[in-house]
Amino acid sequence: MSTTEFFHKYHGLGNDFIVLDRRQTGVDVDAQTAQWLCDRRLGIGADGVLSLLPSETGMARMVVHNSDGSIAEMCGNGLRCAVKYLVDNSGEKPERIDVETGAGLLACVPGYGADGVAQVEISMGPARLVEPNLPSGATQRPFLDEPVPGHAGLRGHAISMGNPHLVLLDQPLETASRLGPVLERHPDFPERTNVEFVRVDADGLTVVVWERGCGLTQACGTGACAAAVAAVLAKRRPAEDWSRVRLPGGDLFIWVASDLSDIRLRGPASFVFTGVVPDAPGR
């Protein structure tokens, strides 16, 4: 790179991101650069890159690059990290900010601690059961507590939180590493899918997520939302109440409207370190 660029490392429950503030240039990173930056041996290392670009409607527009270079429409953990970066570096303490995402303009409410933003509550918008990124057609309608085609014994819910999810209630968590990569590329999902393996507990949910383009991660905000929605649809958890969703990296809290018109996510965001983006190999 011809000029010095700083990166900022953040994580949400161990789901880690490289934040690049490109609101001045408006230039996003390409897939190859995102892959290299996320490489934990040859690059900086992360589950994804968050490019912050100029927005006419929000404080910034967030573009999420997965570690394989693909783009995700939305990332709940990433958005909380982006909000922490934006607010902590603004010199102000707003009650709310809006951030433009691939899933629309989302309202974010920061919660403050001794080191700035400690947690963020996000209105994630509606959960949808019929979307172009979900199974469609007479024989490929969204799975709603029905067997997953081609996988005998699996029953799932197809849910879009802007990005696609296949939620498997009561599927053993230890099967995630084996079934996740297969189901991610299920032919009924035109853009691949995230896959949630969910255990319903007395006080909430325990979830392991195979993330599209990343693999197993410590936490997934949209995955936690999709899991909570599926539990409400199956009448395993109450609507319009906060549900604890335990992920490998820690707990998120999800609120689901009874008509699925609004899903809210609440969880922490943490700063790790800042550094200079080195020159990419071969450039």
Side-chain angles (χ1 to χ4, degrees), residues 3 24 35 37 41-42 47 58 75 80 98 132 134 137 145 151 164 220-221 244 251 263-264 277:
T3 59
Q24 292 297 317
Q35 284 181 303
L37 289 172
R41 294 182 181 273
L42 304 178
D47 289 326
C75 176
R80 296 200 315 280
D98 294 335
L134 297 182
D145 235 9
H151 296 274
C220 176
R244 185 268 303 154
D251 292 353
I263 313 301
R264 300 176 198 165
V277 179

Side-chain angles (χ1 to χ4, degrees), residues 41-151:
R41 294 182 181 273
L42 304 178
I44 298 166
D47 289 326
V49 174
L50 308 177
S51 283
L52 300 181
L53 303 175
S55 171
E56 295 183 357
T57 56
M59 194 169 184
R61 178 167 69 92
M62 181 185 76
V63 179
V64 182
H65 299 262
N66 294 319
S67 59
D68 69 351
S70 61
I71 291 180
E73 301 88 341
M74 176 52 189
C75 176
N77 287 326
L79 181 52
R80 296 200 315 280
C81 291
V83 169
K84 179 170 174 60
Y85 169 79
L86 289 166
V87 173
D88 285 353
N89 288 278
S90 72
E92 301 178 352
K93 289 188 174 181
E95 293 183 1
R96 161 185 160 166
I97 70 168
D98 294 335
V99 179
E100 187 180 351
T101 75
L105 187 68
L106 300 183
C108 309
V109 178
Y112 297 97
D115 297 318
V117 174
Q119 68 171 21
V120 181
E121 182 177 320
I122 304 168
S123 179
M124 300 283 286
R128 295 184 172 91
L129 308 181
V130 178
E131 279 285 278
N133 60 13
L134 297 182
S136 60
T139 60
Q140 294 183 329
R141 60 192 176 90
F143 315 127
L144 290 175
D145 235 9
E146 297 177 358
V148 178
H151 296 274

Side-chain angles (χ1 to χ4, degrees), residues 28 58 71 97 102 105 117 123 125 148 157 164-165 189 195-196 219 250 271:
D28 198 1
I71 291 180
I97 70 168
L105 187 68
V117 174
S123 179
V148 178
H157 291 69
H165 294 267
F189 288 87
V195 189
E196 284 73 43
F271 169 73

Side-chain angles (χ1 to χ4, degrees), residues 251-270:
D251 292 353
L252 293 173
F253 294 87
I254 311 297
W255 185 94
V256 179
S258 57
D259 62 357
L260 309 187
S261 62
D262 185 28
I263 313 301
R264 300 176 198 165
L265 176 154
R266 187 173 67 223
S270 301

Side-chain angles (χ1 to χ4, degrees), residues 214-225:
C214 296
L216 293 174
T217 55
Q218 288 295 293
C220 176
T222 58
C225 290

